[in-house]
Amino acid sequence: DIQMTQSPSTLSASVGDRVTITCRASQSISSWLAWYQQKPGKAPKLLIYKASSLESGVPSRFSGSGSGTEFTLTISSLQPDDFATYYCQQYNSYPIFTFGPGTKVHIK
Amino acid sequence: EVQLLESGGGLVQPGGSLRLSCAASGFTFSTYAMSWVRQAPGKGLEWVSIISGSGGSTFYADSVKGRFTISRDNSKSTLYLAMNSLRGEDTALYYCAKATDTGLTDYWGQGTLVTVSS
């Protein structure tokens, strides 16, 4: 089974900061990686798919990169609406999926 | 607009059973695989099960294999999850989710809460 890790598990940042979250896969998943944002009491929202493709309607301050086993989600200038938990998900082994453990972004 | 509306959650005793439903609209239901994903209180996301568009193929996480059964009724655009032999660790918010043809999970319902407790 493919295992996913994320770092950091939590981070504190200020509005306007550049934020980077890393996701690693236990084996190559090519570019079959998605990023989701989840706010308390809400369903996850798709931000990025195929490692670097921005979902329609998602602000351009979000970007993704990477391939193989290492991936990053970058928020170029953190906004108040961005404080949330972020999850990566591999779908290389579809129909079996694996999520990362999540990264919670706090207000500093 | 894609909409996924889960129902059927509730409080159940350990060893009990429950059936969740997910009513889908806004897309051609029979074309797409559908998943169940759960989230225990304060925890991360855990993929539970998936079913192909036709219903002919199903897959399960090891944690629920043999206890949960996923199914669908394409004539009603509805997804189901039958849960038996429930345990405390099955307590979670259960989300219904749609998959694209490449396996990407692109839409999620709002979830239905299952609590397993005596």
Side-chain angles (χ1 to χ4, degrees), chain A residues 69-108:
Chain A
T69 62
E70 188 156 333
F71 303 86
T72 59
L73 172 70
T74 299
I75 308 172
S76 60
S77 178
L78 198 66
Q79 298 303 301
D81 192 47
D82 302 338
F83 292 96
T85 301
Y86 294 85
Y87 294 94
C88 61
Q89 181 206 32
Q90 70 82 16
Y91 51 109
N92 178 75
S93 59
Y94 176 69
I96 307 297
F97 304 112
T98 318
F99 291 94
T103 295
K104 189 169 186 177
V105 178
H106 292 276
I107 301 173
K108 184 184 284 185

Side-chain angles (χ1 to χ4, degrees), chain B residues 10-33:
Chain B
L11 175 64
V12 61
Q13 292 188 337
S17 299
L18 212 54
R19 189 175 86 152
L20 308 182
S21 300
C22 171
S25 61
F27 64 102
T28 305
F29 183 69
S30 60
T31 300
Y32 297 97

Side-chain angles (χ1 to χ4, degrees), chain B residues 69-80:
Chain B
T69 302
I70 192 171
S71 62
R72 64 193 295 160
D73 185 337
N74 285 344
S75 69
K76 296 181 178 178
S77 295
T78 302
L79 174 72
Y80 303 100

Side-chain angles (χ1 to χ4, degrees), chain A residues 36 38 42-43 87 89 95 97, chain B residues 33 39 47 50 59 95 103 105 109:
Chain A
Y36 300 89
Q38 188 180 35
K42 299 293 188 181
Y87 294 94
Q89 181 206 32
F97 304 112
Chain B
Q39 187 168 35
W47 172 78
I50 190 169
F59 298 85
Y95 292 104
T105 306

Side-chain angles (χ1 to χ4, degrees), chain A residues 1 32-34 36 38 41-46 48-50 55 87 89 91 94-101, chain B residues 33 35 37 39 43-47 50 59-60 62 95 99-111:
Chain A
D1 291 4
W32 300 112
L33 185 99
Y36 300 89
Q38 188 180 35
K42 299 293 188 181
K45 173 189 173 184
L46 177 64
I48 302 284
Y49 61 96
K50 212 168 179 188
E55 173 71 350
Y87 294 94
Q89 181 206 32
Y91 51 109
Y94 176 69
I96 307 297
F97 304 112
T98 318
F99 291 94
Chain B
S35 289
V37 177
Q39 187 168 35
K43 302 296 184 183
L45 300 168
E46 180 189 15
W47 172 78
I50 190 169
F59 298 85
Y60 300 91
D62 288 344
Y95 292 104
T100 68
D101 53 1
T102 59
L104 173 69
T105 306
D106 58 352
Y107 289 97
W108 301 67
Q110 287 305 302

